[in-house]
Amino acid sequence: MTFTNQLFINGQWVAPVRGGSFDTIDPANETAIAQVAAATAEDVDRAVQAARNAFDHGGWPELSGKVRAGYLRRIASLIRDRQQTLAELEVRDNGKPLPEALWDIGDTAYCFDFYADLAEQLDAQQEKAVALSDERFSSVARKEPVGVCGAIIPWNFPMLMAAWKVAPALAAGCTVVLKPSEVTPLTALQLADIAREAELPPGVLNVITGFGADAGSPLTEHPDVDKLAFTGSVPTGRKIMQAAAAEIKNVSLELGGKSAFIIFDDSDIEKAVEWILFGIFWNKGEVCSATSRVLVQRNLYDALLARLVEEAERIRIGNGMADGVLLGPLVNAAQYEKVQTAIARGIEQGATLLSGGKRPNGHDKGYFLQPTIFTDVSEESDIWREEIFGPVVCVRAFDDEAEAVASANRSRFGLAAAVMSPDLARAERVARRLRAGIVWINCSQPTFTEAPWGGYKQSGIGRELGEWGLNNYLETKQITRYDSDEPWGWYIK
């Protein structure tokens, strides 16, 4: 990984203009993994100009979707060839268990293949005839790439989130400046090297590493960026939207969540417990869609809590590279402190800490935290209302369907929600009443590249994945033609 202290601009590995660098840290042992280049505004400008030139003069948008699909498939193939290495790097950089990382990298490759298919389909769908009321005219609606895209990704699914933006953008004919989180930059750099090996034309994908103030802000504010795509926190999303407003840039935002999981008393306890665990402890709870608010119908409440605690306390915690580990360390010291503060605040505000909430025995190094379960949580408490982004779940009882739906919807977020009941008519009814962009029935967190992803309210704007993800990177142009030989005759008679 000799290129880790460099930036990928215009198809080349280059040093940052000011020569800055920073360490990326293994959260399992708090040691440095690699030194990474710290980009500044000068480097961002170089990257944006490379992307601008590739879009305006490099011919990338003019290539057929079939040709662009060939590049995407080569990238997918190279990712699969390196799947084990990339997954291990993700574990070291992020802390997630290796089986989860392998799953992520597999999904990353599939994402590029999926959008290769859509790129090919775009050739046939790029222009659509529009029926007009005046037969003297003909019209088509044409889909065209939006231009240069600034893509800013989070640290919880580093390579997968890069794919969610880069793959559809390239499929659409856009060029990209990708800015990964400074917390987990390593697989984004690997993606750049894979793009180089796939012989992606210079400037089509550029990767700049660095901090938000030094690299992220100059990217969002750059006048030659046509679109901003961001996944991350609400406060940062708000700043990006404000920056985009200055020049009316196209923007898509996938922000925070505080997703509810409604479990009715006719549900199977074992299935409910399994999906609660998966909904909050997968990826250490560092998941924007995590079902961290669990609402259980009162008749099932006590029995379910007992099984939930029993199974949560059996989860093996440790270094993500160790066999059998299902809960790795939180991503860094700042996130560890944030989650610990939230737990302390929950106790202070009167919630019952039923299980976990502490550093596990035998883990003096690393940002490890026990799976944490709160009960007796007020709807007004911070831990019920605010996103924690860690392995912390809050459980409340409810009496009837109307109460559960109202409680679930009482949130400024609306990314995801889940409902469990063998009564599918009721489950479907509740799903349609929940104010969320993603609703799961009898499960929590399954994510498919083919289906739309995004939220209501303060959880974001726009949709990723599926055909909706491709549309994020397309503009619609009307082309209307006057076909009659007759003079128009309005002014000249």
Side-chain angles (χ1 to χ4, degrees), residues 256-296:
K258 192 68 178 176
S259 302
F261 192 171
I262 298 171
I263 299 172
F264 287 98
D265 60 9
D266 54 358
S267 300
D268 179 274
I269 286 182
E270 297 303 301
K271 292 178 181 177
V273 168
E274 171 66 26
W275 284 113
I276 292 171
L277 296 171
F278 193 79
I280 186 59
F281 300 135
W282 169 264
N283 204 55
K284 309 161 287 173
E286 294 171 340
V287 181
C288 53
S289 59
T291 38
S292 55
R293 292 186 296 145
V294 176
L295 293 153
V296 182

mmCIF file of all heavy atoms in Angstrom, residues 256-296:
data_model
loop_
_atom_site.group_PDB
_atom_site.id
_atom_site.type_symbol
_atom_site.label_atom_id
_atom_site.label_comp_id
_atom_site.label_asym_id
_atom_site.label_seq_id
_atom_site.Cartn_x
_atom_site.Cartn_y
_atom_site.Cartn_z
ATOM 1 N N GLY A 256 -29.247 10.776 8.970
ATOM 2 C CA GLY A 256 -29.388 9.932 10.149
ATOM 3 C C GLY A 256 -30.709 9.208 10.235
ATOM 4 O O GLY A 256 -31.603 9.356 9.400
ATOM 5 N N GLY A 257 -30.813 8.413 11.275
ATOM 6 C CA GLY A 257 -32.050 7.681 11.524
ATOM 7 C C GLY A 257 -32.199 7.326 12.989
ATOM 8 O O GLY A 257 -31.228 7.336 13.751
ATOM 9 N N LYS A 258 -33.413 7.038 13.363
ATOM 10 C CA LYS A 258 -33.718 6.518 14.703
ATOM 11 C C LYS A 258 -34.906 5.584 14.510
ATOM 12 O O LYS A 258 -36.036 5.862 14.918
ATOM 13 C CB LYS A 258 -34.037 7.670 15.668
ATOM 14 C CG LYS A 258 -34.086 7.244 17.138
ATOM 15 C CD LYS A 258 -32.719 6.845 17.670
ATOM 16 C CE LYS A 258 -32.783 6.471 19.146
ATOM 17 N NZ LYS A 258 -31.478 6.000 19.657
ATOM 18 N N SER A 259 -34.636 4.475 13.860
ATOM 19 C CA SER A 259 -35.696 3.642 13.298
ATOM 20 C C SER A 259 -36.394 2.798 14.361
ATOM 21 O O SER A 259 -35.756 2.253 15.259
ATOM 22 C CB SER A 259 -35.115 2.741 12.215
ATOM 23 O OG SER A 259 -34.491 3.521 11.206
ATOM 24 N N ALA A 260 -37.712 2.695 14.204
ATOM 25 C CA ALA A 260 -38.540 1.926 15.140
ATOM 26 C C ALA A 260 -38.777 0.516 14.614
ATOM 27 O O ALA A 260 -38.849 0.286 13.408
ATOM 28 C CB ALA A 260 -39.876 2.630 15.346
ATOM 29 N N PHE A 261 -38.931 -0.432 15.544
ATOM 30 C CA PHE A 261 -39.244 -1.825 15.236
ATOM 31 C C PHE A 261 -40.443 -2.204 16.100
ATOM 32 O O PHE A 261 -40.329 -2.319 17.322
ATOM 33 C CB PHE A 261 -38.037 -2.704 15.549
ATOM 34 C CG PHE A 261 -38.114 -4.120 15.024
ATOM 35 C CD1 PHE A 261 -36.988 -4.936 15.100
ATOM 36 C CD2 PHE A 261 -39.263 -4.649 14.469
ATOM 37 C CE1 PHE A 261 -37.017 -6.237 14.624
ATOM 38 C CE2 PHE A 261 -39.317 -5.950 13.988
ATOM 39 C CZ PHE A 261 -38.184 -6.747 14.060
ATOM 40 N N ILE A 262 -41.609 -2.372 15.468
ATOM 41 C CA ILE A 262 -42.846 -2.704 16.183
ATOM 42 C C ILE A 262 -43.020 -4.222 16.183
ATOM 43 O O ILE A 262 -43.046 -4.843 15.122
ATOM 44 C CB ILE A 262 -44.059 -2.034 15.512
ATOM 45 C CG1 ILE A 262 -43.917 -0.507 15.559
ATOM 46 C CG2 ILE A 262 -45.356 -2.474 16.177
ATOM 47 C CD1 ILE A 262 -44.965 0.225 14.730
ATOM 48 N N ILE A 263 -43.152 -4.803 17.366
ATOM 49 C CA ILE A 263 -43.305 -6.255 17.484
ATOM 50 C C ILE A 263 -44.617 -6.556 18.197
ATOM 51 O O ILE A 263 -44.797 -6.219 19.370
ATOM 52 C CB ILE A 263 -42.110 -6.871 18.249
ATOM 53 C CG1 ILE A 263 -40.818 -6.596 17.473
ATOM 54 C CG2 ILE A 263 -42.317 -8.369 18.450
ATOM 55 C CD1 ILE A 263 -39.556 -6.985 18.203
ATOM 56 N N PHE A 264 -45.550 -7.180 17.463
ATOM 57 C CA PHE A 264 -46.854 -7.516 18.030
ATOM 58 C C PHE A 264 -46.778 -8.820 18.830
ATOM 59 O O PHE A 264 -45.866 -9.640 18.636
ATOM 60 C CB PHE A 264 -47.902 -7.606 16.924
ATOM 61 C CG PHE A 264 -48.292 -6.270 16.368
ATOM 62 C CD1 PHE A 264 -47.725 -5.793 15.183
ATOM 63 C CD2 PHE A 264 -49.205 -5.469 17.041
ATOM 64 C CE1 PHE A 264 -48.079 -4.546 14.680
ATOM 65 C CE2 PHE A 264 -49.568 -4.225 16.536
ATOM 66 C CZ PHE A 264 -48.996 -3.770 15.361
ATOM 67 N N ASP A 265 -47.759 -8.995 19.732
ATOM 68 C CA ASP A 265 -47.668 -10.096 20.689
ATOM 69 C C ASP A 265 -47.972 -11.470 20.093
ATOM 70 O O ASP A 265 -47.849 -12.483 20.785
ATOM 71 C CB ASP A 265 -48.556 -9.835 21.912
ATOM 72 C CG ASP A 265 -50.021 -9.672 21.572
ATOM 73 O OD1 ASP A 265 -50.402 -9.932 20.403
ATOM 74 O OD2 ASP A 265 -50.789 -9.258 22.465
ATOM 75 N N ASP A 266 -48.328 -11.521 18.807
ATOM 76 C CA ASP A 266 -48.483 -12.825 18.170
ATOM 77 C C ASP A 266 -47.197 -13.280 17.484
ATOM 78 O O ASP A 266 -47.153 -14.322 16.832
ATOM 79 C CB ASP A 266 -49.635 -12.802 17.162
ATOM 80 C CG ASP A 266 -49.508 -11.700 16.120
ATOM 81 O OD1 ASP A 266 -48.543 -10.922 16.199
ATOM 82 O OD2 ASP A 266 -50.378 -11.630 15.225
ATOM 83 N N SER A 267 -46.126 -12.518 17.652
ATOM 84 C CA SER A 267 -44.847 -12.849 17.024
ATOM 85 C C SER A 267 -44.141 -13.983 17.760
ATOM 86 O O SER A 267 -44.277 -14.140 18.984
ATOM 87 C CB SER A 267 -43.925 -11.623 17.009
ATOM 88 O OG SER A 267 -44.507 -10.561 16.293
ATOM 89 N N ASP A 268 -43.351 -14.745 17.031
ATOM 90 C CA ASP A 268 -42.498 -15.779 17.612
ATOM 91 C C ASP A 268 -41.332 -15.100 18.334
ATOM 92 O O ASP A 268 -40.603 -14.302 17.733
ATOM 93 C CB ASP A 268 -41.983 -16.691 16.508
ATOM 94 C CG ASP A 268 -41.072 -17.781 17.033
ATOM 95 O OD1 ASP A 268 -39.859 -17.514 17.172
ATOM 96 O OD2 ASP A 268 -41.568 -18.891 17.310
ATOM 97 N N ILE A 269 -41.140 -15.411 19.613
ATOM 98 C CA ILE A 269 -40.113 -14.729 20.416
ATOM 99 C C ILE A 269 -38.723 -14.937 19.838
ATOM 100 O O ILE A 269 -37.921 -14.000 19.750
ATOM 101 C CB ILE A 269 -40.173 -15.183 21.890
ATOM 102 C CG1 ILE A 269 -41.389 -14.560 22.585
ATOM 103 C CG2 ILE A 269 -38.894 -14.766 22.616
ATOM 104 C CD1 ILE A 269 -41.498 -14.903 24.053
ATOM 105 N N GLU A 270 -38.410 -16.168 19.440
ATOM 106 C CA GLU A 270 -37.056 -16.448 18.946
ATOM 107 C C GLU A 270 -36.763 -15.643 17.674
ATOM 108 O O GLU A 270 -35.673 -15.088 17.525
ATOM 109 C CB GLU A 270 -36.893 -17.946 18.683
ATOM 110 C CG GLU A 270 -37.029 -18.807 19.930
ATOM 111 C CD GLU A 270 -36.041 -18.402 21.015
ATOM 112 O OE1 GLU A 270 -34.819 -18.439 20.746
ATOM 113 O OE2 GLU A 270 -36.488 -18.025 22.126
ATOM 114 N N LYS A 271 -37.729 -15.600 16.776
ATOM 115 C CA LYS A 271 -37.533 -14.821 15.553
ATOM 116 C C LYS A 271 -37.417 -13.330 15.874
ATOM 117 O O LYS A 271 -36.583 -12.624 15.301
ATOM 118 C CB LYS A 271 -38.695 -15.058 14.590
ATOM 119 C CG LYS A 271 -38.747 -16.464 14.009
ATOM 120 C CD LYS A 271 -39.953 -16.630 13.109
ATOM 121 C CE LYS A 271 -40.030 -18.055 12.547
ATOM 122 N NZ LYS A 271 -41.253 -18.243 11.707
ATOM 123 N N ALA A 272 -38.239 -12.868 16.798
ATOM 124 C CA ALA A 272 -38.199 -11.450 17.161
ATOM 125 C C ALA A 272 -36.854 -11.075 17.762
ATOM 126 O O ALA A 272 -36.255 -10.051 17.400
ATOM 127 C CB ALA A 272 -39.327 -11.132 18.133
ATOM 128 N N VAL A 273 -36.354 -11.906 18.672
ATOM 129 C CA VAL A 273 -35.067 -11.618 19.306
ATOM 130 C C VAL A 273 -33.941 -11.608 18.276
ATOM 131 O O VAL A 273 -33.077 -10.725 18.280
ATOM 132 C CB VAL A 273 -34.785 -12.631 20.437
ATOM 133 C CG1 VAL A 273 -33.340 -12.538 20.904
ATOM 134 C CG2 VAL A 273 -35.735 -12.390 21.609
ATOM 135 N N GLU A 274 -33.958 -12.583 17.376
ATOM 136 C CA GLU A 274 -32.918 -12.642 16.337
ATOM 137 C C GLU A 274 -32.892 -11.357 15.501
ATOM 138 O O GLU A 274 -31.833 -10.771 15.259
ATOM 139 C CB GLU A 274 -33.158 -13.852 15.435
ATOM 140 C CG GLU A 274 -32.271 -13.911 14.194
ATOM 141 C CD GLU A 274 -30.797 -14.108 14.492
ATOM 142 O OE1 GLU A 274 -30.481 -14.675 15.562
ATOM 143 O OE2 GLU A 274 -29.961 -13.686 13.665
ATOM 144 N N TRP A 275 -34.075 -10.902 15.088
ATOM 145 C CA TRP A 275 -34.104 -9.712 14.238
ATOM 146 C C TRP A 275 -33.835 -8.437 15.022
ATOM 147 O O TRP A 275 -33.270 -7.473 14.477
ATOM 148 C CB TRP A 275 -35.432 -9.624 13.497
ATOM 149 C CG TRP A 275 -35.502 -10.587 12.354
ATOM 150 C CD1 TRP A 275 -36.318 -11.677 12.237
ATOM 151 C CD2 TRP A 275 -34.714 -10.563 11.155
ATOM 152 N NE1 TRP A 275 -36.090 -12.328 11.044
ATOM 153 C CE2 TRP A 275 -35.114 -11.662 10.357
ATOM 154 C CE3 TRP A 275 -33.706 -9.710 10.674
ATOM 155 C CZ2 TRP A 275 -34.536 -11.934 9.111
ATOM 156 C CZ3 TRP A 275 -33.136 -9.976 9.434
ATOM 157 C CH2 TRP A 275 -33.552 -11.077 8.670
ATOM 158 N N ILE A 276 -34.190 -8.403 16.309
ATOM 159 C CA ILE A 276 -33.804 -7.247 17.126
ATOM 160 C C ILE A 276 -32.280 -7.165 17.210
ATOM 161 O O ILE A 276 -31.687 -6.092 17.017
ATOM 162 C CB ILE A 276 -34.400 -7.336 18.547
ATOM 163 C CG1 ILE A 276 -35.919 -7.184 18.505
ATOM 164 C CG2 ILE A 276 -33.803 -6.241 19.445
ATOM 165 C CD1 ILE A 276 -36.591 -7.484 19.831
ATOM 166 N N LEU A 277 -31.643 -8.296 17.487
ATOM 167 C CA LEU A 277 -30.183 -8.326 17.587
ATOM 168 C C LEU A 277 -29.538 -7.890 16.278
ATOM 169 O O LEU A 277 -28.609 -7.074 16.269
ATOM 170 C CB LEU A 277 -29.710 -9.737 17.957
ATOM 171 C CG LEU A 277 -30.136 -10.287 19.326
ATOM 172 C CD1 LEU A 277 -29.779 -11.762 19.442
ATOM 173 C CD2 LEU A 277 -29.491 -9.498 20.456
ATOM 174 N N PHE A 278 -30.019 -8.436 15.170
ATOM 175 C CA PHE A 278 -29.449 -8.097 13.876
ATOM 176 C C PHE A 278 -29.716 -6.623 13.542
ATOM 177 O O PHE A 278 -28.879 -5.957 12.915
ATOM 178 C CB PHE A 278 -30.046 -8.998 12.793
ATOM 179 C CG PHE A 278 -29.305 -8.938 11.484
ATOM 180 C CD1 PHE A 278 -28.129 -9.639 11.302
ATOM 181 C CD2 PHE A 278 -29.794 -8.174 10.434
ATOM 182 C CE1 PHE A 278 -27.447 -9.587 10.097
ATOM 183 C CE2 PHE A 278 -29.123 -8.113 9.219
ATOM 184 C CZ PHE A 278 -27.939 -8.821 9.046
ATOM 185 N N GLY A 279 -30.863 -6.132 13.968
ATOM 186 C CA GLY A 279 -31.245 -4.765 13.648
ATOM 187 C C GLY A 279 -30.442 -3.704 14.371
ATOM 188 O O GLY A 279 -30.419 -2.544 13.928
ATOM 189 N N ILE A 280 -29.770 -4.067 15.482
ATOM 190 C CA ILE A 280 -29.042 -3.060 16.249
ATOM 191 C C ILE A 280 -27.565 -3.405 16.480
ATOM 192 O O ILE A 280 -26.735 -2.498 16.600
ATOM 193 C CB ILE A 280 -29.730 -2.773 17.609
ATOM 194 C CG1 ILE A 280 -29.048 -1.600 18.339
ATOM 195 C CG2 ILE A 280 -29.783 -4.014 18.478
ATOM 196 C CD1 ILE A 280 -29.044 -0.294 17.582
ATOM 197 N N PHE A 281 -27.209 -4.671 16.502
ATOM 198 C CA PHE A 281 -25.819 -5.013 16.813
ATOM 199 C C PHE A 281 -24.987 -5.346 15.582
ATOM 200 O O PHE A 281 -23.761 -5.439 15.673
ATOM 201 C CB PHE A 281 -25.768 -6.145 17.839
ATOM 202 C CG PHE A 281 -26.444 -5.782 19.141
ATOM 203 C CD1 PHE A 281 -27.307 -6.668 19.772
ATOM 204 C CD2 PHE A 281 -26.234 -4.545 19.718
ATOM 205 C CE1 PHE A 281 -27.945 -6.326 20.959
ATOM 206 C CE2 PHE A 281 -26.859 -4.180 20.912
ATOM 207 C CZ PHE A 281 -27.714 -5.079 21.529
ATOM 208 N N TRP A 282 -25.630 -5.551 14.428
ATOM 209 C CA TRP A 282 -24.903 -5.681 13.169
ATOM 210 C C TRP A 282 -24.074 -4.419 12.945
ATOM 211 O O TRP A 282 -24.525 -3.307 13.183
ATOM 212 C CB TRP A 282 -25.918 -5.876 12.043
ATOM 213 C CG TRP A 282 -25.373 -5.769 10.643
ATOM 214 C CD1 TRP A 282 -25.390 -4.670 9.843
ATOM 215 C CD2 TRP A 282 -24.732 -6.804 9.896
ATOM 216 N NE1 TRP A 282 -24.822 -4.956 8.623
ATOM 217 C CE2 TRP A 282 -24.396 -6.261 8.629
ATOM 218 C CE3 TRP A 282 -24.420 -8.134 10.164
ATOM 219 C CZ2 TRP A 282 -23.750 -7.014 7.640
ATOM 220 C CZ3 TRP A 282 -23.782 -8.874 9.175
ATOM 221 C CH2 TRP A 282 -23.455 -8.319 7.945
ATOM 222 N N ASN A 283 -22.830 -4.608 12.531
ATOM 223 C CA ASN A 283 -21.916 -3.487 12.286
ATOM 224 C C ASN A 283 -21.763 -2.594 13.516
ATOM 225 O O ASN A 283 -21.566 -1.389 13.414
ATOM 226 C CB ASN A 283 -22.365 -2.656 11.085
ATOM 227 C CG ASN A 283 -21.217 -1.878 10.444
ATOM 228 O OD1 ASN A 283 -20.211 -2.466 10.066
ATOM 229 N ND2 ASN A 283 -21.362 -0.575 10.340
ATOM 230 N N LYS A 284 -21.900 -3.236 14.710
ATOM 231 C CA LYS A 284 -21.706 -2.549 15.999
ATOM 232 C C LYS A 284 -22.735 -1.466 16.265
ATOM 233 O O LYS A 284 -22.519 -0.574 17.075
ATOM 234 C CB LYS A 284 -20.297 -1.943 16.063
ATOM 235 C CG LYS A 284 -19.176 -2.899 15.723
ATOM 236 C CD LYS A 284 -17.906 -2.171 15.365
ATOM 237 C CE LYS A 284 -17.986 -1.530 14.016
ATOM 238 N NZ LYS A 284 -16.828 -0.665 13.709
ATOM 239 N N GLY A 285 -23.860 -1.522 15.552
ATOM 240 C CA GLY A 285 -24.870 -0.482 15.686
ATOM 241 C C GLY A 285 -24.518 0.798 14.969
ATOM 242 O O GLY A 285 -25.272 1.782 15.036
ATOM 243 N N GLU A 286 -23.399 0.803 14.258
ATOM 244 C CA GLU A 286 -22.979 1.976 13.488
ATOM 245 C C GLU A 286 -23.652 1.906 12.112
ATOM 246 O O GLU A 286 -23.008 1.778 11.069
ATOM 247 C CB GLU A 286 -21.458 2.020 13.384
ATOM 248 C CG GLU A 286 -20.803 2.240 14.743
ATOM 249 C CD GLU A 286 -19.296 2.064 14.719
ATOM 250 O OE1 GLU A 286 -18.767 1.420 13.789
ATOM 251 O OE2 GLU A 286 -18.627 2.555 15.653
ATOM 252 N N VAL A 287 -24.965 1.988 12.147
ATOM 253 C CA VAL A 287 -25.804 1.811 10.957
ATOM 254 C C VAL A 287 -26.885 2.886 10.998
ATOM 255 O O VAL A 287 -27.629 2.984 11.975
ATOM 256 C CB VAL A 287 -26.453 0.414 10.930
ATOM 257 C CG1 VAL A 287 -27.301 0.238 9.679
ATOM 258 C CG2 VAL A 287 -25.396 -0.691 11.023
ATOM 259 N N CYS A 288 -26.995 3.667 9.931
ATOM 260 C CA CYS A 288 -27.963 4.769 9.941
ATOM 261 C C CYS A 288 -29.400 4.272 10.046
ATOM 262 O O CYS A 288 -30.262 4.954 10.594
ATOM 263 C CB CYS A 288 -27.792 5.625 8.694
ATOM 264 S SG CYS A 288 -27.846 4.698 7.150
ATOM 265 N N SER A 289 -29.659 3.071 9.538
ATOM 266 C CA SER A 289 -31.019 2.527 9.550
ATOM 267 C C SER A 289 -31.288 1.610 10.736
ATOM 268 O O SER A 289 -32.368 1.005 10.817
ATOM 269 C CB SER A 289 -31.264 1.740 8.256
ATOM 270 O OG SER A 289 -30.322 0.679 8.138
ATOM 271 N N ALA A 290 -30.352 1.469 11.663
ATOM 272 C CA ALA A 290 -30.489 0.536 12.790
ATOM 273 C C ALA A 290 -31.825 0.725 13.507
ATOM 274 O O ALA A 290 -32.228 1.853 13.805
ATOM 275 C CB ALA A 290 -29.342 0.731 13.772
ATOM 276 N N THR A 291 -32.497 -0.373 13.774
ATOM 277 C CA THR A 291 -33.775 -0.306 14.490
ATOM 278 C C THR A 291 -33.484 -0.236 15.989
ATOM 279 O O THR A 291 -33.584 -1.215 16.723
ATOM 280 C CB THR A 291 -34.673 -1.498 14.119
ATOM 281 O OG1 THR A 291 -33.881 -2.673 13.985
ATOM 282 C CG2 THR A 291 -35.388 -1.260 12.815
ATOM 283 N N SER A 292 -33.161 0.974 16.420
ATOM 284 C CA SER A 292 -32.701 1.209 17.794
ATOM 285 C C SER A 292 -33.835 1.528 18.752
ATOM 286 O O SER A 292 -33.620 1.595 19.963
ATOM 287 C CB SER A 292 -31.682 2.348 17.804
ATOM 288 O OG SER A 292 -32.228 3.507 17.201
ATOM 289 N N ARG A 293 -35.049 1.738 18.238
ATOM 290 C CA ARG A 293 -36.242 1.942 19.079
ATOM 291 C C ARG A 293 -37.149 0.727 18.895
ATOM 292 O O ARG A 293 -37.772 0.579 17.837
ATOM 293 C CB ARG A 293 -36.997 3.214 18.670
ATOM 294 C CG ARG A 293 -36.270 4.511 18.952
ATOM 295 C CD ARG A 293 -37.188 5.696 18.651
ATOM 296 N NE ARG A 293 -37.552 5.779 17.243
ATOM 297 C CZ ARG A 293 -38.737 6.203 16.799
ATOM 298 N NH1 ARG A 293 -39.692 6.566 17.650
ATOM 299 N NH2 ARG A 293 -38.978 6.259 15.507
ATOM 300 N N VAL A 294 -37.231 -0.121 19.883
ATOM 301 C CA VAL A 294 -38.039 -1.341 19.777
ATOM 302 C C VAL A 294 -39.309 -1.181 20.607
ATOM 303 O O VAL A 294 -39.250 -0.887 21.807
ATOM 304 C CB VAL A 294 -37.240 -2.578 20.227
ATOM 305 C CG1 VAL A 294 -38.124 -3.814 20.201
ATOM 306 C CG2 VAL A 294 -36.024 -2.773 19.317
ATOM 307 N N LEU A 295 -40.440 -1.372 19.951
ATOM 308 C CA LEU A 295 -41.747 -1.283 20.600
ATOM 309 C C LEU A 295 -42.361 -2.679 20.632
ATOM 310 O O LEU A 295 -42.598 -3.281 19.577
ATOM 311 C CB LEU A 295 -42.639 -0.327 19.815
ATOM 312 C CG LEU A 295 -42.197 1.146 19.851
ATOM 313 C CD1 LEU A 295 -42.662 1.893 18.609
ATOM 314 C CD2 LEU A 295 -42.731 1.825 21.111
ATOM 315 N N VAL A 296 -42.597 -3.188 21.841
ATOM 316 C CA VAL A 296 -43.081 -4.552 22.015
ATOM 317 C C VAL A 296 -44.462 -4.515 22.667
ATOM 318 O O VAL A 296 -44.652 -3.854 23.706
ATOM 319 C CB VAL A 296 -42.108 -5.382 22.882
ATOM 320 C CG1 VAL A 296 -42.600 -6.823 23.007
ATOM 321 C CG2 VAL A 296 -40.698 -5.333 22.299
#
